[in-house]
Amino acid sequence: MSLLRVGPLVNLLLPNLRLIMSRSISTGTFKNTSPLNYRGGNRVKPIDSVGDEQAYEPSTGRVITTFACSGEKEVNEAIQSAKAAFKIWSQKSGMERSRVMLEAARIIRDRSEEIATLETINNGKSIFEARVDVEISWQTLEYYAGLAGAMAGQHVQLPGGSFAYTRREPLGVCVGIGAWNYPFQIACWKLGPALACGNAMVYKPSPFTPLSVVLLAEIFTEAGVPTGLFNVVQGGAATGEFLCKHPDVAKVSFTGSVPTGSKVMEMASKGIKPVTLELGGKSPLIIFSDSDLESAVNGAMMANFLTQGQVCCNGTRVFVQRDILEKFTDEVVKKVKKIKIGDPLMEDTRMGPLINRTQMDRVFGFLKTAREQGAKFLTGGELYTPEDPKLKGGFYMTPCVLGNCRDDMTCVKEEIFGPVMSILPFDTEEEVLERANATTYGLAGGVFTRDIQRAHRVVAALQAGMCFINNYNVSPVELPFGGYKKSGFGRENGQVAIEYYSQLKTVCVEMGKVESVF
């Protein structure tokens, strides 16, 4: 029985059978045979395509599924299906939408081990991290379910008993385009506020990680959304272009690279569609000499090595005040050497493989340039071959710490998107702020210090949308997430995301006679 196609009989045996199923799947055994598009409440093969894609199990290098990329006709069918469902969903009260979303969150909780296992198989991150991602996902839906029933406008009293009010209304059919590093979680980040506001969504996951989002679509059908409210189309750039240019799409939310984000924005602009862009980063993490050293070291680890370093908001430029540089570096190197690399489905693994060979080659290209430009390899940065024979074809490398780094080095200026930390010394607060902001990115930034005044002063000066004091890479759903500069605009999460999935209507009510100047 395929993990991805759970029949009616299995549904009756929840949750224990699903837990047994997920635990029975070991590395190197999974292969998907089910359709990966989801339209009209069912898995379907696209009615037309623009080529095929293959998705891998990064830990073994095996192809685990081959699928057709959705063509223009299939994209149109998915959008029309969502458009019909929108007419039903948008007329429901916030409380009615809330109940359905809470039911979806409950199902995700019940099936969390199954979802996390599938995410690990397709993405390569450790099962430990995947479980956290799934937990954040159902929390996201619960959070926006709570806001769905609380959406309200404003009443404004005008002279003579007249008044005005505002209505927050849904946009229509929204398009979500996700990234491969957090496939299930990013889908929930986009879907939660979209559905809470009364919208429908057509979602395109990354072609590298097509599996788990289809599971999410099935869950929402089971939870009771109108048929077609959440549809999934698979594909790459061509499929994304059909989505962005479609005249019936009201909004596009994209997570991914800066070059692709620029193209999405350009395509959406032709139809005057609003966009939310969550793009790349090269974020600074500033460690002052008065920091709690153990916490600062742990923060730097969290800022660089989650999901094999494939995280857009990672603090990969670690600025360390010179008088603690040696001690800090020694402690970081000790910890990095202890990271357990291997089969991501094993409980004690903390670092799995990179997403694919292309990404691994890209990371090693950056490391080659770093060596040529004078960076010192303090640890790691090498191919890693696990002892387990079934993992020999996986895309593994040892986490890397670079010293002797300068601001003009390629490894310091450009986003590597791999497990590579660059350590740079600094002397003064003024100096480090100028250097930290000398980038076209502005997604995140962090500071470690015991001086609370300096902490607030530094984050106020950082040109970044998400800042951390004495911690890093914590993103509760209650907090808005998004960037400055080329890291994008708009926000995901938090109450403010409601504004990006709705539009405001003003209604002016005259209670007296109308006078005319004519």
Side-chain angles (χ1 to χ4, degrees), residues 60-90:
T60 63
R62 295 168 53 249
V63 174
I64 55 175
T65 190
T66 300
F67 58 93
C69 298
S70 300
E72 190 170 10
K73 291 180 181 178
E74 175 64 22
V75 166
N76 181 64
E77 286 294 312
I79 291 171
Q80 297 312 315
S81 176
K83 190 176 178 181
F86 167 72
K87 293 179 181 178
I88 302 170
W89 185 249
S90 61

Side-chain angles (χ1 to χ4, degrees), residues 378-436:
L378 303 176
T379 187
E382 301 169 339
L383 281 170
Y384 180 81
T385 304
E387 294 180 3
D388 189 337
K390 69 175 177 290
L391 306 179
K392 298 295 184 183
F395 313 121
Y396 295 91
M397 66 171 288
T398 54
C400 181
V401 180
L402 299 177
N404 198 36
C405 293
R406 303 184 311 273
D407 293 349
D408 63 344
M409 287 179 170
T410 303
C411 64
V412 176
K413 295 187 338 186
E414 297 186 22
E415 186 177 34
I416 298 174
F417 225 60
V420 181
M421 178 194 299
S422 298
I423 297 179
L424 304 103
F426 76 93
D427 293 301
T428 68
E429 178 183 326
E430 294 74 21
E431 167 213 340
V432 76
L433 278 171
E434 184 175 351
R435 294 167 63 194

Side-chain angles (χ1 to χ4, degrees), residues 171-192:
L171 297 167
V173 177
C174 298
V175 161
I177 302 177
W180 48 261
N181 54 348
Y182 289 85
F184 195 85
Q185 180 181 309
I186 288 174
C188 288
W189 278 17
K190 296 183 188 304
L191 194 62

